[in-house]
Amino acid sequence: MEQKEKELQPQTRAYTVEEIATVLHIGRSSTYTLVKKGYFKSVRIGTAIRISRKSFDEWLDSLEL
C-alpha cells in the first residue's frame, strides 16, 4: 500500500487480539487472559473480540514502564 493511501484511511477505534499481542510482544493466549481479566474494555462480536483503542491506550499509559 502506498504511503498516500495509508494516510487517507481513518484510524480504527478498536484493536484485534492479534494487534494487542503484537504491540505488547506477547502471545495470543496471554492477550486473551488480559481481556478476560478486564484490564481494558472489549466487546465480543460473534466469535471476534475487539478491544477499545482508547481503553487499551489508557491502560498502557497507566503502567509504569
Side-chain angles (χ1 to χ4, degrees), residues 43-57:
V43 63
R44 183 177 291 275
I45 305 168
T47 59
I49 295 176
R50 295 296 178 261
I51 296 112
S52 161
R53 179 178 291 272
K54 180 180 176 185
S55 176
F56 173 76
D57 291 344

Side-chain angles (χ1 to χ4, degrees), residues 20 24 34 39-40 54-63:
I20 297 293
L24 297 177
L34 293 174
Y39 286 110
F40 26 81
K54 180 180 176 185
S55 176
F56 173 76
D57 291 344
E58 287 173 354
W59 172 79
L60 189 59
D61 290 342
S62 74
L63 300 176

Side-chain angles (χ1 to χ4, degrees), residues 10-42:
Q11 187 176 25
T12 61
R13 297 184 62 188
Y15 288 115
T16 64
V17 169
E18 290 79 12
E19 289 170 329
I20 297 293
T22 300
V23 168
L24 297 177
H25 302 286
I26 61 175
R28 285 184 351 162
S29 61
S30 296
T31 306
Y32 282 114
T33 300
L34 293 174
V35 169
K36 187 176 180 179
K37 289 186 176 185
Y39 286 110
F40 26 81
K41 295 179 183 175
S42 63

